[in-house]
Amino acid sequence: AQKITQTQPGMFVQEKEAVTLDCTYDTSDPSYGLFWYKQPSSGEMIFLIYQGSYDQQNATEGRYSLNFQKARKSANLVISASQLGDSAMYFCAMEASGSARQLTFGSGTQLTVLP
Amino acid sequence: DADVTQTPRNRITKTGKRIMLECSQTKGHDRMYWYRQDPGLGLRLIYYSFDVKDINKGEISDGYSVSRQAQAKFSLSLESAIPNQTALYFCATSDTTGLNQPQHFGDGTRLSIL
């Protein structure tokens, strides 16, 4: 079974600063993918970034990057130069190769960007 | 137009009523999913379908049923709704090609059962 843990229920960051949202995972499957989704107050789920377990480099997508530490089983999301529009709930999710493409989600982190 | 469309967007109903939530997609994906989101618990999988003839239970299928009417349509039913099924429901789709394809979500259905 897979498990995702997000230990920060809420985070605050000043506009234009960087912020790291923590995610740790547990799986016995050697092949897996890690995803981050953003959920604004309007409710939709927006895909942000993906990291594969065999990827040699950390994933980056614009202002989003993923600090992937495989030995520690962590996949932290880094948002650089925070903007007010980044205020949202952020979910880490994992999909293992043996899981029939099921996503296991963490409980989320509510990020608030302060002006 | 949205690639994954859920109807209705909001629904308030009474205990014991039968409710159907519908999902349609234009992405051409074979795989479709229904999730439920409760505050503080993230999203949990209710049912998933790999194609029209393949339906599988997820983590929390009790009290729910599904129907895959076509590749593009996947419906979730609550046969006799109860208040603890009040939640935000999401439909999602995914491609079959490898782990690096994200699931694409609809905008969700807010369901309140009184």
Side-chain angles (χ1 to χ4, degrees), chain B residues 19-82:
Chain B
I19 302 159
M20 179 180 286
L21 309 183
E22 299 187 350
C23 177
S24 62
Q25 53 119 345
T26 59
K27 300 191 73 67
H29 290 165
D30 286 327
R31 300 186 177 190
M32 298 186 74
Y33 308 81
W34 275 104
Y35 291 91
R36 165 181 173 155
Q37 183 180 16
D38 296 280
L41 292 179
L43 276 71
R44 293 181 292 166
L45 184 64
I46 306 172
Y47 270 96
Y48 61 102
S49 169
F50 287 173
D51 63 36
V52 174
K53 296 181 180 179
D54 185 78
I55 304 289
N56 303 279
K57 292 182 178 181
E59 178 187 353
I60 52 165
S61 60
D62 288 349
Y64 301 95
S65 62
V66 291
S67 173
R68 185 82 183 267
Q69 300 95 325
Q71 188 209 32
K73 295 184 182 295
F74 192 36
S75 300
L76 176 72
S77 294
L78 289 69
E79 296 300 326
S80 180
I82 55 176

